[in-house]
Amino acid sequence: MIKVKNLRKYFPIKGGFLNKKLGDVKAVENINFEIPEGEILGLVGESGSGKTTLGRSIIRLIEPSEGEILYNNKNIMNFNNKEMRALRKEFQIIFQDPFASLDPRKKIFDIIAQGLKIHTSMNREEVNKKVISTIKEVGLQEEHLGRYPHEFSGGQRQRIGIARALVLNPKFIIADEPVSALDVTIQAQILNLILELKEKYSLTILFISHDLSVINQIADKVMVMYLGHIVEMASTKNLFSNPRHPYTKSLIETAPQIFRKNKNKVLLKGDIPSPINPPSGCVFRTRCPNPTHDCKEGNIKMGLIEVSPDHWVDQCCVNCS
């Protein structure tokens, strides 16, 4: 359903008296992947790795700098404003902050119904029926529609965000860390809800998170992102049972685990570099536990190679772990 080819997103840095361009923030660099219809692709990485920028670039909430985005074999990068507006009802997003993403001045009914009023020709009665059925699908009641966002808990607000995304019967949803701001028990409820809706409506989802336990529970396939690059991609089972990239290994080993202690954890040193001036060659080399001479000299380029069936790893780091 979704196929991304050589996607890049640079943000220009301007300054000086004439506001000239001084450089670029290289947020997303040469991304290639695809999401089959009805699957959940998990996207994981540290804060600052470019996950949210990638997600928003795919649906052109942020305009990519280069690349192709194929939706049902049509390159939406070539769509004009009218064509993108018609496509919007098939693309939806669940935002990370369930409070900031809801207009505090509007009642819940108006928040959920807004998309229907923009993208459909439904009359008032049809809109009412659709909003009521959708709010019940996410576990809330009809009487909630007359309230404002501040009257709800975090979990309830996130359910409202899911209802807003679901009401237009979309085909593709980007879930941008939808449970990171919630308590653990509420997280489980929201994740189960997303899985139920995915099965019921055959949704295709890009699920962004920094929590590996969440990704392990919900995703069919996982991409690991570091400083704008995809460094490993595999099925969830293969990635967690046999991680090949040292960054992936560190993320898995340092994730909180109850009743299990690993004394030989691979701890990464330092912080993620700035995307304004990323390391030459392999961008992971400054934190790699076992960098080679080529990595240090910058003589190798980033790029995924298939190390086993449907298991892809950055070519520079295959032998560094």
Side-chain angles (χ1 to χ4, degrees):
M1 174 178 269
I2 299 289
K3 190 170 186 179
V4 174
K5 296 182 178 180
N6 303 317
L7 191 69
R8 289 182 171 88
K9 177 56 185 177
Y10 294 173
F11 293 98
I13 303 170
K14 296 183 179 180
F17 180 72
L18 298 176
N19 199 31
K20 291 184 177 180
K21 182 178 177 181
L22 304 177
D24 289 300
V25 176
K26 299 178 180 179
V28 173
E29 185 73 63
N30 196 31
I31 301 294
N32 295 273
F33 67 90
E34 58 185 62
I35 313 177
E37 186 174 357
E39 288 195 3
I40 298 179
L41 175 63
L43 179 60
V44 66
E46 290 175 288
S47 297
S49 59
K51 305 186 299 298
T52 295
T53 301
L54 174 58
R56 297 188 181 192
S57 295
I58 293 171
I59 58 177
R60 290 184 61 186
L61 284 184
I62 298 174
E63 286 295 335
S65 302
E66 295 180 26
E68 297 180 9
I69 304 166
L70 303 179
Y71 173 65
N72 292 332
N73 296 319
K74 295 181 180 179
N75 186 5
I76 68 172
M77 288 291 290
N78 298 329
F79 282 18
N80 57 32
N81 290 337
K82 184 178 180 180
E83 290 171 319
M84 279 304 302
R85 185 182 177 89
L87 188 64
R88 288 292 177 202
K89 62 183 179 182
E90 298 188 29
F91 290 171
Q92 291 295 312
I93 184 168
I94 303 169
F95 294 96
Q96 178 178 356
D97 190 332
F99 188 74
S101 62
L102 302 177
D103 190 338
R105 300 167 298 177
K106 290 185 177 181
K107 292 182 179 180
I108 302 308
F109 178 89
D110 297 318
I111 291 173
I112 297 175
Q114 185 176 18
L116 294 173
K117 294 175 181 178
I118 294 173
H119 292 289
T120 72
S121 57
M122 289 182 177
N123 58 38
R124 180 175 295 182
E125 184 180 352
E126 291 171 331
V127 170
N128 289 345
K129 287 182 179 180
K130 182 63 176 176
V131 171
I132 291 171
S133 65
T134 303
I135 201 70
K136 289 180 178 179
E137 288 239 61
V138 299
L140 297 177
Q141 302 302 319
E142 184 178 345
E143 58 263 26
H144 292 142
L145 293 172
R147 301 179 188 175
Y148 291 91
H150 72 271
E151 299 179 72
F152 295 89
S153 67
Q156 289 175 318
R157 286 195 291 263
Q158 197 59 282
R159 289 174 186 269
I160 294 166
I162 294 172
R164 178 177 58 183
L166 194 66
V167 73
L168 284 168
N169 298 322
K171 303 297 184 183
F172 177 56
I173 291 179
I174 291 179
D176 186 5
E177 304 214 32
V179 297
S180 63
L182 306 178
D183 295 334
V184 175
T185 53
I186 306 301
Q187 283 186 12
Q189 294 175 16
I190 297 299
L191 291 175
N192 289 334
L193 174 62
I194 291 174
L195 287 172
E196 289 171 8
L197 295 173
K198 176 249 184 183
E199 292 297 329
K200 184 174 182 179
Y201 294 102
S202 299
L203 296 172
T204 305
I205 301 174
L206 175 65
F207 194 98
I208 301 171
S209 180
H210 62 269
D211 191 331
L212 289 169
S213 62
V214 169
I215 290 293
N216 190 25
Q217 179 181 343
I218 201 169
D220 299 300
K221 193 173 182 179
V222 184
M223 291 194 306
V224 181
M225 194 169 188
Y226 182 83
L227 202 62
H229 294 263
I230 300 300
V231 295
E232 187 162 5
M233 181 167 54
S235 69
T236 304
K237 182 179 179 180
N238 287 342
L239 189 98
F240 281 88
S241 63
N242 184 30
R244 297 293 301 272
H245 196 281
Y247 181 60
T248 308
K249 290 183 177 181
S250 177
L251 290 178
I252 293 174
E253 292 180 5
T254 55
Q257 296 174 344
I258 301 175
F259 306 127
R260 181 180 170 188
K261 295 182 179 179
N262 184 357
K263 297 181 179 179
N264 298 316
K265 293 180 178 179
V266 180
L267 298 176
L268 298 180
K269 298 180 180 179
D271 298 320
I272 188 169
S274 170
I276 298 174
N277 186 27
S280 59
C282 177
V283 297
F284 185 65
R285 64 181 175 82
T286 57
R287 302 177 73 190
C288 184
N290 187 31
T292 65
H293 177 74
D294 286 339
C295 295
K296 293 180 180 179
E297 294 297 323
N299 295 327
I300 195 166
K301 293 183 178 180
M302 302 285 290
L304 296 177
I305 59 171
E306 192 172 18
V307 295
S308 62
D310 206 27
H311 192 150
W312 301 78
V313 185
D314 180 65
Q315 58 185 343
C316 177
C317 299
V318 171
N319 300 315
C320 291
S321 55

